[in-house]
Amino acid sequence: MLGAVLADDLILLCAFWELTSLASFFLIGYRHDTAEARAAATQALIVTAVGGVAMLAGFVLLAQAGGSWQISALVGKAAQIVAGGLAALVLASRVMSLHQVLTWASTGLAYDRLYEEALRGAKRLTDVYLTGRARDYYAYIVLFAVVLLGYGIASTGIIIPPSVGGVEPGPLISVAIAIIAALAAARLGLLVAAILALGVTGYSVSVVYLLLSAPDIAITQAVVETVSLILFLVALTALARAESGYQPRPVSDAALAVAAGGISIILAGMIEAVSGLPRISEQFIARAGEAGGKNIVNLIVVDFRGWDTMGEIGVLAIAALGILALAPWRRLHPPAAHGPRRGSRDAPRVPPPAEAPMTSVILRTIATVASPIIIAYAVLLWATGHYGPGGGFVAGLMFAAAIVLRAEAFGIGRLNRRWDLLIVAGLLLAAGSAAVPLAVGAPLLKHTLVEIGGRTFASSLIFDLGVFCLVAGAALAAVCSLSEAA
Amino acid sequence: MGITVALLVGVLVATGFFLLLGRSLLRQIIGLTLLSHAANVAILLAAGLRGRAPILGEAPGPLTDPLPQALILTAIVISFGVTAFLLALGYRMHLFRGNDSHEQ
């Protein structure tokens, strides 16, 4: 509220305004266990959000008329704006009186008429357009994008074909495998086969990255693929009873998908043409020495563009904490006879099933030997990220993979730890190391080089340790929560 | 080389959208994962396909653009987080509805 009063920028004012509507949403829905409070809160949110959008539209008009987004600057031009606004008002009233849409006998009546008309219109729209099925909405979006992009390409006639020369056998083979696997993932009827095909796609995309001079994203993709393959298989176990088998699909779906793919090939050619333009990265490469490293990709992530990374690990933390919030499955699991009972908090907790470790001696032996090595390698990847492929993101994921491997071998109960604390610790570590430079008057996230025992260390290593902890915690929270469901 | 990578982008987009337009929630999440691969590979195309890995002091020659790679790196991890969240959401929905196809 204070921000809304003090903001001098129209966009900022709008942002603060939306924050207050969010706050009022939570306030109205305080007693969230009653359906009325939830309905009232939703209604309030919809009303204020629609009002907020209208206000934003008004601000855009205001800024157009006044030529500035600063309220202080706009006040000076008040006369000009008021004149513009009056003109618009006069015009609007003329239009209304011409059409005689509403009877202006009383405001209440007018409101009722308007409301009825809006309802009738919405109903008509609903029947044709709003089917209530998410996949129809996806189809609209894809169709809209295809038509718009297709029209754009056709009307301008600008097509930049992708480069044809320089095809090497290595990338060609991995691209071919990725294409075949992606087609298999789309067409295979057996869900577990589709998931494995997705894994093959991910690993071959990782090989494509490696062969196209991008080792950092290649190892990250490979480790992410491993952990998400586990997640998908665990989710499959949890959802196995729900899967209704492969159903035939209408030709229109395939046609739409092929059209989108075709447009994407044309766009990919245009994207490739961008690589010939002057690049902003030259200064990153030139200033790598200042940041104390050689691996430019890692330097961008933890140092040059640290703010972006801060936001991204924030997103990851929110996603992981969201999973943990969704996770107490057993409390929510409805008894079959009673049907779903939403939000019943007093349901007795079913004790977890007895741990049944996998009987495979081979897996247990491998896990015993391999997981310490993987953890050590993860730490190494974090520590040397400045100099070679690595860094906090891939290191955290690799650490999580090692823990999951142990859990697979010795019983999933070993995963049951407070991973939320690791996530929060990582976030605090990253945010804390970002804030330390403020104490000496330097900007946020300004990293320095520290000399300890004749060796130089970059302070961004601490920031990267925060990333490490957060990513590891997030991945483990996800695997832990979903395997609890399985 | 660009033509083969562009073809990969096209196939990933087509298969991703095809799965997204289906009924099964798990298949839709697979489709989203394919779409994020497509976006990442397309961004890599913006880095150009010539030049060596952006790590200083290894071999002479021009470096490939590191910025798109940094973008992809975080995008990979975030799409992993979103996928995990969707899977958890799907399971929660299954508990309430009794099946994973989210039709009304």
Side-chain angles (χ1 to χ4, degrees):
Chain A
M1 197 47 106
L2 191 66
V5 175
L6 293 180
D8 187 36
D9 188 280
L10 286 176
I11 299 288
L12 195 64
L13 176 60
C14 226
F16 279 122
W17 185 269
E18 293 298 336
L19 271 181
T20 59
S21 42
L22 205 60
S24 66
F25 166 71
F26 286 120
L27 205 60
I28 296 170
Y30 178 68
R31 294 180 57 97
H32 54 84
D33 44 347
T34 64
E36 285 155 42
R38 284 202 301 270
T42 312
Q43 192 182 2
L45 187 67
I46 291 171
V47 169
T48 48
V50 170
V53 171
M55 191 174 80
L56 183 63
F59 282 172
V60 171
L61 291 177
L62 202 61
Q64 287 288 317
S68 168
W69 291 95
Q70 302 290 324
I71 295 170
S72 49
L74 285 172
V75 170
K77 297 182 184 168
Q80 184 190 341
I81 297 165
V82 168
L86 275 179
L89 205 64
V90 167
L91 198 68
S93 63
R94 292 289 296 186
V95 169
M96 280 179 184
S97 65
L98 272 177
H99 284 269
Q100 295 291 334
V101 184
L102 301 164
T103 321
W104 290 99
S106 78
T107 350
L109 194 61
Y111 178 78
D112 285 351
R113 281 286 297 276
L114 194 68
Y115 185 71
E116 263 171 47
E117 280 300 319
L119 264 189
R120 207 169 300 146
K123 180 80 177 64
R124 217 170 298 137
L125 196 68
T126 311
D127 295 343
V128 183
Y129 184 73
L130 302 174
T131 56
R133 285 192 299 261
R135 59 200 175 95
D136 286 344
Y137 302 148
Y138 299 143
Y140 298 147
I141 296 168
V142 180
L143 187 65
F144 187 67
V146 166
V147 168
L148 206 63
L149 289 169
Y151 175 75
I153 292 168
S155 62
T156 56
I158 301 172
I159 293 179
I160 306 171
S163 63
V164 178
V167 176
E168 294 155 38
L172 188 64
I173 292 168
S174 41
V175 164
I177 295 174
I179 287 176
I180 294 167
L183 290 171
R187 283 300 297 161
L188 282 172
L190 198 61
L191 199 47
V192 67
I195 290 172
L196 291 177
L198 176 72
V200 175
T201 314
Y203 287 124
S204 28
V205 166
S206 152
V207 176
V208 172
Y209 290 151
L210 186 67
L211 296 175
L212 295 180
S213 311
D216 268 286
I217 52 177
I219 52 172
T220 310
Q221 175 61 48
V223 183
V224 160
E225 202 55 47
T226 309
V227 182
S228 56
L229 202 55
I230 293 169
L231 269 183
F232 267 105
L233 291 173
V234 167
L236 177 65
T237 325
L239 290 168
R241 283 149 288 150
E243 177 60 21
S244 43
Y246 194 79
Q247 284 156 337
R249 301 278 303 275
V251 182
S252 60
D253 282 5
L256 201 53
V258 168
I263 296 268
S264 310
I265 295 177
I266 298 174
L267 289 181
M270 297 184 178
I271 294 170
E272 193 190 0
V274 170
S275 65
L277 300 175
R279 354 183 261 189
I280 195 174
S281 302
E282 299 305 343
Q283 58 158 324
F284 295 145
I285 297 170
R287 300 182 67 177
E290 283 176 50
K294 290 177 177 165
N295 180 5
I296 315 287
V297 175
N298 182 258
L299 292 181
I300 291 175
V301 169
V302 299
D303 197 328
F304 299 133
R305 305 290 306 166
W307 265 115
D308 295 357
T309 310
M310 200 65 227
E312 281 146 2
I313 58 176
V315 172
L316 199 60
I318 291 167
L321 295 177
I323 295 170
L324 286 173
L326 286 171
W329 320 104
R330 292 197 186 88
R331 272 200 317 222
L332 290 157
H333 209 307
H338 294 93
R341 281 192 306 172
R342 280 160 197 265
S344 57
R345 288 182 170 274
D346 48 356
R349 271 191 81 100
V350 180
E355 265 192 33
M358 274 185 113
T359 45
S360 163
V361 179
I362 299 173
L363 182 65
R364 267 183 283 161
T365 313
I366 289 177
T368 311
V369 177
S371 57
I373 299 175
I374 301 175
I375 291 174
Y377 188 60
V379 174
L380 184 75
L381 276 180
W382 158 72
T384 60
H386 261 41
Y387 306 101
F393 277 106
V394 65
L397 285 160
M398 198 168 272
F399 178 83
I403 302 290
V404 171
L405 176 65
R406 280 187 71 81
E408 289 291 330
F410 297 106
I412 214 79
R414 286 178 177 245
L415 269 181
N416 224 339
R417 303 270 186 279
R418 292 295 306 272
W419 300 121
D420 51 340
L421 294 182
L422 189 61
I423 296 171
V424 173
L427 199 57
L428 287 178
L429 198 59
S433 74
V436 163
L438 286 179
V440 291
L444 274 175
L445 275 166
K446 173 79 186 161
H447 293 298
T448 50
L449 299 178
V450 185
E451 204 157 310
I452 302 169
R455 295 208 56 172
T456 323
F457 293 94
S459 65
S460 55
L461 211 54
I462 305 295
F463 181 74
D464 218 12
L465 183 63
V467 174
F468 178 111
C469 294
L470 192 146
V471 170
L476 285 166
V479 178
C480 174
S481 303
L482 278 166
S483 60
E484 204 177 300
Chain B
M1 194 61 226
I3 187 86
T4 55
V5 181
L7 194 65
L8 176 60
V9 173
V11 171
L12 286 171
V13 167
T15 50
F17 274 139
F18 182 72
L19 285 169
L20 200 61
L21 296 177
R23 281 167 193 274
S24 151
L25 184 69
L26 212 47
R27 284 183 207 276
Q28 288 185 330
I29 301 174
I30 294 177
L32 273 182
T33 311
L34 290 174
L35 281 178
S36 67
H37 284 324
N40 291 340
V41 174
I43 297 172
L44 192 68
L45 266 178
L49 300 175
R50 285 172 222 293
R52 47 183 195 80
I55 296 169
L56 294 177
E58 290 204 331
L63 301 179
T64 185
D65 194 343
L67 190 61
Q69 295 193 17
L71 295 178
I72 298 169
L73 189 105
T74 44
I76 291 173
V77 181
I78 285 190
S79 69
F80 164 75
V82 171
T83 304
F85 183 71
L86 284 176
L87 287 172
L89 212 54
Y91 181 68
R92 176 93 169 212
M93 200 150 78
H94 156 66
L95 286 186
F96 283 140
R97 293 258 178 86
N99 61 48
D100 84 328
S101 111
H102 57 163
E103 305 281 288
Q104 287 291 324

